[in-house]
Amino acid sequence: MNTTDIPSLPRGVRLHFDKVRDTWVLLAPERAITLDQIGHAILTEVDGQRSFGEITQALSDKYNAPVEQIAQDSNGFLTALRDRRFLDVAQ
C-alpha cells in the first residue's frame, strides 16, 4: 500500500462491538472477523478521507512508536483485509 492510497470500508462493512464476546469485530455480509487491539486501533483511523501515510503518522503519534514500524504492520493488516474484500483502497 502506498502512502497516498486512501483506505475505506466498503458498503456493508462496519466495525461493531460484540457485547456477548466482549470484543470488536469487523462485520460484512455473512462474514465477520474478530479484531485484536492493534487491528481495532488501525481500523478506527480508517475514515475514507485520510491517506495511508496520514493514518500511519496519526498512529505513530498516538502510540509513540516509529512510523516505519506502524506502516509495516498496518500495511500487512490492511492488505490482508483488501484481499478478503473487507477494505477498499482508492489511489
Side-chain angles (χ1 to χ4, degrees):
M1 187 168 297
N2 296 317
T3 58
T4 57
D5 291 346
I6 300 173
S8 64
L9 296 179
R11 183 176 165 178
V13 177
R14 64 186 173 95
L15 281 172
H16 174 75
F17 186 75
D18 186 333
K19 293 177 186 176
V20 173
R21 293 183 183 92
D22 193 35
T23 191
W24 285 94
V25 294
L26 186 60
L27 296 177
E30 300 188 27
R31 300 177 289 158
I33 295 177
T34 302
L35 299 172
D36 62 10
Q37 290 178 333
I38 295 170
H40 179 255
I42 294 168
L43 286 176
T44 57
E45 298 293 330
V46 172
D47 60 8
Q49 302 296 315
R50 293 183 295 160
S51 70
F52 178 68
E54 292 169 323
I55 290 169
T56 55
Q57 185 61 56
L59 288 167
S60 174
D61 294 344
K62 185 174 184 178
Y63 295 103
N64 195 25
V67 71
E68 298 83 16
Q69 185 64 47
I70 297 284
Q72 182 180 10
D73 294 344
S74 298
N75 185 30
F77 176 70
L78 294 176
T79 298
L81 289 180
R82 181 179 54 191
D83 291 346
R84 296 177 69 188
R85 295 178 303 195
F86 279 93
L87 187 78
D88 286 338
V89 178
Q91 299 175 349

